[in-house]
Amino acid sequence: MWGTLAISAATFMNVLDTSIANVSLPAIAGDLGVSPNQGTWVITSFAVANAIAVPLTGWLTQRLGQVRLMVASVLLFVLASLLCGLAPNMPTLIAFRVLQGFVAGPMIPLSQALLLQSYPRAQAGRAMAAWAMTTLVAPVMGPLMGGWITDNIAWPWIFYINVPVGLLAAFFIWRIYHRRESVVRKLPIDRIGLALLIVWIAALQMVLDLGKEHDWFASPLIVGLALTAIVGFAFFIAWELTDEHPVVDLKLFKGRNFWAGTMAVSVAYGLFFGNVVLLPLWLQQFMGYTATDAGMVTAPVGLLAIVLSPFVGRTIAKVDARRYVTFSFAVFAVVMLMRSHFSTQADFNTILIPTIVQGVAVAFFFIPLNTLTLSGLTPDRIPAAAGLSNFVRITFGAVGTSVATTVWESRAALHHAHLAEAINHGSPAAQAALSGLANGGMTQPQALAAIDRLLQQQAFTMAANDIFWLSSMLFLALIPLVWLTRVPRRDGAPSAAAAEAAAGAH
């Protein structure tokens, strides 16, 4: 129990920090004297470093051991958090966020591996359910806590709160697990593979984070970064497949369950995360919601997930996991279809209901799909496999966010152009609206501006509906991919494969 609490606290702290700074960016940028666009590097720097570190988990585990690496990651995360809060300027803050993101990378897959060692195989699903509940609550709490701390205390405290939590977590993890250290092997350092990994991941993450700001491939900077990412990725694949001690074990993709499961969980997570980002943006920019109100609408996604995750954990060894994932994707599709009918007249309850229902899909998504993904692997390969799977999923999450927001603005421009065609001298409705606004005391430019604001609201709502509908169809299209996996053998008792699987809800 204490081990579960300590690991969950460390995981919660890690996941929380990926989202808690988002709502504090204006305050951070203003306090440090930079523009809001420059302030986004607080997020980008963490994401780039985190994406680089996650796939290194397997290699670092073999050199240092699971427990030493976990404790070191937590303590360094605490140190980096303290330094972030003390940063006197933006370059210093970005440097410390890079350190924070890098040391945070191994914590997610290692927390899975350590929890699986703590429970008998018969209760492994329950252990993962408890872990998943932690990571379901953290992304919801992040924006709410970040906004409250920034408004009522000061932005450095979004980093300072990690210090006591991390120190306690590291203390208990070491006390409980240090006698269960994994076997350490002094493998040589794959310097070329590591350098290639850093180059292509950093370039890709910067393309995704800066693309919209620089008008994507109309910018020489984005074109150069994209080419760097493509060439670096190609050389990285070739090197890692031929090196004797690769920094990332790409041979894991030889297993059908691993590649099919990783692709399913990654694409689904990209769709899910893109919509998680899009909904609050639409609510705050075009529906008049405050940040707190938008948080209240999106927060209930964790309610049913928390209630149902223990049930999924208890039954996963007795039920075909593919059935659970199919049910999850079907519910996701229904939720997105419900959202595709939103209008500017949608009230709070109308927007809230699909969010609550989505909690059902989340509960039946992470645990079964990761059980399938990691089934059939030996225990010593679990950290590397979990790290690689999490890396691909995090990358797709970044892709999903960039694609969703870019397509949203592009479709909105198209809908706005079509709607604006109706505003002309030959339209009785348009002329009546302009006359009504003029009678209310507006000049013609003011009346046209008011109508344009209405068109913008409608255009962005229609564009959001387009993305919700497309997401619904893509979730249904993912179902056949799930059935390419082989279900772990079941003989009435929980199988070793199911017991050794890990659930990732980061």
Side-chain angles (χ1 to χ4, degrees):
M1 182 185 71
W2 285 108
T4 302
L5 288 174
I7 290 171
S8 297
T11 308
F12 183 88
M13 174 183 70
N14 182 330
V15 181
L16 187 75
D17 236 58
T18 62
S19 60
I20 195 171
N22 294 18
V23 293
S24 306
L25 282 184
I28 295 172
D31 197 32
L32 297 181
V34 299
S35 69
N37 282 344
Q38 290 175 293
T40 58
W41 280 97
V42 174
I43 306 300
T44 304
S45 56
F46 182 94
V48 169
N50 192 254
I52 291 168
V54 168
L56 297 177
T57 302
W59 177 77
L60 288 170
T61 299
Q62 289 184 314
R63 283 192 62 95
L64 301 176
Q66 291 182 10
V67 181
R68 290 191 198 92
L69 180 57
M70 181 69 178
V71 172
S73 295
V74 174
L75 291 176
L76 287 171
F77 190 88
V78 168
L79 175 62
S81 298
L82 184 63
L83 294 173
C84 285
L86 295 171
N89 52 53
M90 184 56 72
T92 308
L93 176 59
I94 290 171
F96 293 146
R97 282 287 281 178
V98 169
L99 173 63
Q100 190 184 39
F102 189 82
V103 300
M107 288 166 65
I108 297 298
L110 281 179
S111 63
Q112 298 169 340
L114 288 174
L115 267 185
L116 287 167
Q117 295 176 15
S118 305
Y119 286 77
R121 287 185 172 182
Q123 297 183 30
R126 189 174 300 177
M128 288 297 97
W131 182 91
M133 284 191 287
T134 304
T135 50
L136 289 170
V137 175
V140 174
M141 292 293 294
L144 296 175
M145 287 180 62
W148 187 89
I149 290 170
T150 302
D151 291 340
N152 293 279
I153 309 177
W155 67 262
W157 283 92
I158 66 176
F159 299 113
Y160 292 155
I161 59 172
N162 292 332
V163 175
V165 175
L167 290 176
L168 285 172
F171 173 77
F172 281 107
I173 290 171
W174 179 254
R175 284 293 301 271
I176 293 168
Y177 292 101
H178 74 278
R179 292 187 182 88
R180 313 180 202 177
E181 185 60 274
S182 59
V183 177
V184 176
R185 292 192 296 159
K186 296 296 182 182
L187 298 175
I189 299 174
D190 177 15
R191 292 183 176 87
I192 295 178
L194 181 59
L196 289 170
L197 177 72
I198 292 172
V199 167
W200 81 262
I201 290 179
L204 175 63
Q205 194 70 41
M206 290 171 70
V207 167
L208 297 173
D209 287 340
L210 304 177
K212 191 170 67 171
E213 180 185 333
H214 290 80
D215 196 22
W216 291 104
F217 297 105
S219 164
L221 173 65
I222 300 301
V223 172
L225 287 170
L227 288 173
T228 302
I230 293 169
V231 174
F233 178 71
F235 276 99
F236 173 76
I237 295 294
W239 181 267
E240 293 299 281
L241 288 176
T242 54
D243 191 68
E244 188 177 351
H245 300 286
V247 73
V248 177
D249 186 7
L250 295 178
K251 292 183 174 65
L252 286 164
F253 283 107
K254 287 182 178 180
R256 184 200 294 183
N257 273 29
F258 186 79
W259 72 258
T262 298
M263 288 307 300
V265 74
S266 300
V267 176
Y269 185 76
L271 291 171
F272 167 72
F273 203 72
N275 283 278
V276 164
V277 170
L278 180 63
L279 184 61
L281 284 176
W282 172 65
L283 291 174
Q284 291 181 69
Q285 294 182 23
F286 300 101
M287 294 294 286
Y289 282 58
T290 64
T292 304
D293 291 337
M296 294 299 291
V297 171
T298 54
V301 71
L303 292 178
L304 286 176
I306 290 170
V307 172
L308 293 173
S309 287
F311 166 78
V312 177
R314 284 195 304 270
T315 59
I316 189 64
K318 303 172 185 176
V319 179
D320 187 339
R322 296 175 298 183
R323 295 180 185 272
Y324 276 169
V325 180
T326 300
F327 172 71
S328 171
F329 286 177
V331 175
F332 270 126
V334 170
V335 167
M336 299 303 170
L337 203 57
M338 292 169 69
R339 287 178 174 163
S340 71
H341 293 91
F342 282 168
S343 70
T344 53
Q345 280 73 46
D347 59 16
F348 186 89
N349 290 335
T350 302
I351 297 169
L352 183 65
I353 290 171
T355 303
I356 294 174
V357 175
Q358 188 169 261
V360 178
V362 171
F364 286 85
F365 170 40
F366 290 111
I367 299 171
L369 199 45
N370 281 277
T371 297
L372 289 170
T373 303
L374 302 180
S375 63
L377 296 174
T378 54
D380 62 299
R381 301 188 79 189
I382 291 290
L388 184 54
S389 177
N390 275 290
F391 160 67
V392 178
R393 182 176 50 76
I394 291 169
T395 303
F396 270 78
V399 172
T401 301
S402 295
V403 170
T405 53
T406 302
V407 172
W408 185 43
E409 293 185 1
S410 175
R411 294 291 296 175
L414 179 66
H415 286 303
H416 186 276
H418 289 162
L419 292 170
E421 291 173 359
I423 309 301
N424 55 62
H425 293 294
S427 170
Q431 293 307 310
L434 288 170
S435 299
L437 293 171
N439 293 335
M442 287 188 180
T443 63
Q444 188 178 31
Q446 289 174 331
L448 288 171
I451 289 178
D452 185 62
R453 283 194 295 272
L454 289 173
L455 295 188
Q456 286 276 53
Q457 183 187 34
Q458 294 295 336
F460 275 92
T461 301
M462 294 166 71
N465 289 346
D466 292 343
I467 293 175
F468 293 143
W469 183 86
L470 180 61
S471 299
S472 176
M473 298 301 105
L474 290 175
F475 269 115
L476 293 177
L478 282 175
I479 292 175
L481 184 60
V482 176
W483 289 88
L484 288 178
T485 61
R486 298 184 181 93
V487 70
R489 284 176 53 250
R490 299 188 309 279
D491 52 9
S495 68
E500 288 158 2
H506 176 21

